[in-house]
Amino acid sequence: SSDLGWKGSAPRADAMVQPFPGWNSDGPNSSGCKAEASMRAEDLAALAADANGFRVLPEGSPISVEEHNVAPFSMPEEVLSFQPDEEAVIARFANGDWERKVHCNIELGSEELEALRLLQEEARLLGVALPPSVSASATRYLSHSHGDHKKALKMMEATAEWRSSYFRRPLSDSDLAEDLKLGLAYFTGRDKALRPVLVFRASRIPCAWHRDRHFDRVVKVLVFCMEYFLRYMAVPGKIESINVVIDLKDLTLSQIPIGVLREVHRSMGTYYVGRIFRFYICNMPRILGTLVPLAKKVLTERQRQKLVFVCRNEDLVQDMAARQIEEDLGGTRAKLQEFFPFPVLPGPFDVDEPCGRHDESREPVPGVHRVLTAQGCRGRLWN
């Protein structure tokens, strides 16, 4: 939970989703085969197109999910009319600092546009071509690097290299079926701003994985979850990040998988920059709970906003409707026994809404994720 973001005056946070003028290409079709690292530079240049002010290369789909395994309420109908409020778009801090939370399909401020222009020019000067998914995240890397466009470009190149290597073939639901059934990571619902909630149950990591240090299997499940969010749950300009609820129940201080959490933090923080809105740490061992007041004193305001120590589980429902959260985490939902397809519920999502739906006269609409293509879920930058 790094102390990241921009300095200076924040842009207008009331600039919500605006229509884009038509354009000819958003880069190669996502079904195109991935360029191999062994290809010659001139071959890659011939394949490159433009997207988000960058040269981009063909990018294959990072995950493969059978249609019957896409949860029917992965994208609830409410997202179509939802408009994020000022706090959901830009977080502001007492020292005058601020941090953008929504980056695509939304107007950017003048300082952001200038930094983005410098980043785009640097990439063109160096002949850098990126996957479309990385190009659309350019302002996230600028935020992470405090506006340093050279550092941001290096991070983008590192992410592009990682994606090219990690997704040589898509992560498929069939290949990960047994690991997804463990329930160590799964989406359960959304918060009051419609950001998905991913629950991570550390105690469900198999003992054999600990013994053999198979942290890569934990990371693979979480990477699958992140890519599932980006394809089936995100809406550019509205919902671009998730919450992660980390449950430490039934673990002693010595049993907390520090190595796993460290690897997860490294992967998520490096390759999915700006995609975690908030971490909630729940059911902490008592001795760890006694250290929370001390930890809060040394955290910056920005870090306190991103990392929440939940001392009472019922506090979690201040940000999420109780019906969206399981009972042992402070909600009213029965503890889940099946975890894939992800057991996400339809609305309501308002924390003050009664447990029933807004309109009991009709059923919620399933399959709304079909209204957006892969390119539509990716979004694009304002300039």
Side-chain angles (χ1 to χ4, degrees):
S1 182
S2 305
D3 191 1
L4 308 171
W6 293 82
K7 295 289 185 181
S9 58
R12 292 185 301 108
D14 60 347
M16 294 298 144
V17 179
Q18 300 289 340
F20 277 88
W23 84 341
N24 295 325
S25 173
D26 186 30
N29 188 288
S30 61
S31 63
C33 63
K34 193 174 296 179
E36 295 294 338
S38 59
M39 293 183 70
R40 296 177 302 169
E42 55 266 31
D43 295 329
L44 293 176
L47 289 173
D50 283 325
N52 302 298
F54 296 89
R55 298 293 285 170
V56 294
L57 294 170
E59 182 177 24
S61 177
I63 61 172
S64 173
V65 184
E66 295 290 338
E67 184 60 31
H68 67 270
N69 279 334
V70 179
F73 299 110
S74 293
M75 189 176 290
E77 59 189 284
E78 287 88 344
V79 304
L80 301 181
S81 58
F82 174 73
Q83 292 291 348
D85 60 21
E86 181 175 333
E87 182 182 357
V89 175
I90 294 178
R92 301 172 189 276
F93 307 103
N95 65 356
D97 198 5
W98 57 277
E99 181 181 10
R100 177 173 290 281
K101 301 295 185 178
V102 176
H103 291 257
C104 290
N105 297 34
I106 194 168
E107 187 171 3
L108 302 175
S110 58
E111 291 183 11
E112 294 170 297
L113 288 171
E114 175 59 18
L116 179 57
R117 183 187 67 80
L118 293 173
L119 175 57
Q120 292 163 336
E121 288 185 355
E122 181 76 5
R124 285 190 179 275
L125 180 66
L126 298 178
V128 174
L130 301 162
S133 62
V134 177
S135 75
S137 297
T139 53
R140 298 180 186 279
Y141 290 94
L142 282 168
S143 178
H144 192 88
S145 64
H146 298 275
D148 184 334
H149 63 278
K150 293 181 182 291
K151 182 178 179 180
L153 183 58
K154 289 181 180 179
M155 293 174 63
M156 294 171 73
E157 289 184 276
T159 299
E161 184 178 353
W162 173 79
R163 293 186 69 84
S164 177
S165 173
Y166 202 87
F167 300 116
R168 289 187 181 277
R169 59 185 295 266
L171 299 182
S172 72
D173 52 350
S174 57
D175 290 343
L176 290 173
E178 293 304 313
D179 292 352
L180 291 169
K181 287 179 182 178
L182 295 173
L184 63 91
Y186 55 94
F187 289 104
T188 180
R190 292 179 180 249
D191 70 3
K192 60 186 179 183
L194 302 191
R195 290 175 290 251
V197 177
L198 180 71
V199 176
F200 179 74
R201 305 272 193 176
S203 63
R204 293 178 181 171
I205 299 174
C207 293
W209 295 14
H210 284 290
R211 183 185 64 245
D212 300 332
R213 301 185 68 79
H214 280 165
F215 301 158
D216 59 314
R217 295 184 68 171
V218 180
V219 171
K220 186 171 288 189
V221 169
L222 288 169
V223 166
F224 179 88
C225 290
M226 290 301 299
E227 294 296 336
Y228 183 97
F229 156 70
L230 292 171
R231 177 60 187 90
Y232 298 108
M233 306 179 85
V235 182
K238 300 186 179 201
I239 301 118
E240 297 185 0
S241 59
I242 69 172
N243 296 294
V244 179
V245 176
I246 299 177
D247 176 33
L248 300 180
K249 190 175 183 179
D250 299 327
L251 295 176
T252 64
L253 188 60
S254 62
Q255 291 174 322
I256 294 177
I258 300 298
V260 173
L261 295 177
R262 184 185 298 113
E263 182 63 21
V264 167
H265 180 270
R266 187 191 68 81
S267 299
M268 298 297 105
T270 302
Y271 306 125
Y272 294 97
V273 171
R275 292 297 186 179
I276 309 298
F277 180 77
R278 186 167 291 157
F279 288 96
Y280 295 87
I281 313 299
C282 297
N283 295 317
M284 295 174 287
R286 182 171 299 180
I287 188 172
L288 187 59
T290 61
L291 300 176
V292 168
L294 178 61
K296 287 182 176 180
K297 288 182 179 180
V298 300
L299 293 176
T300 66
E301 183 184 5
R302 186 188 304 275
Q303 290 169 333
R304 286 196 298 271
Q305 186 184 87
K306 293 181 179 180
L307 182 62
V308 177
F309 297 98
V310 181
C311 296
R312 300 181 308 162
N313 281 348
E314 52 266 33
D315 292 342
L316 198 60
V317 298
Q318 294 179 11
D319 296 331
M320 309 164 194
R323 68 185 299 273
Q324 298 281 326
I325 303 299
E326 293 165 89
E327 292 174 336
D328 66 326
L329 296 173
T332 58
R333 189 176 186 183
K335 194 167 183 181
L336 294 165
Q337 302 299 321
E338 296 183 1
F339 309 102
F340 191 79
F342 294 124
V344 291
L345 291 176
F349 302 101
D350 194 315
V351 295
D352 298 321
E353 190 77 23
C355 289
R357 287 193 53 77
H358 299 288
D359 184 359
E360 295 289 353
S361 66
R362 68 176 181 84
E363 293 297 317
V365 179
V368 177
H369 64 273
R370 297 190 186 98
V371 306
L372 287 180
T373 65
Q375 291 182 0
C377 286
R378 183 191 310 136
R380 54 186 191 257
L381 299 177
W382 186 255
N383 76 341

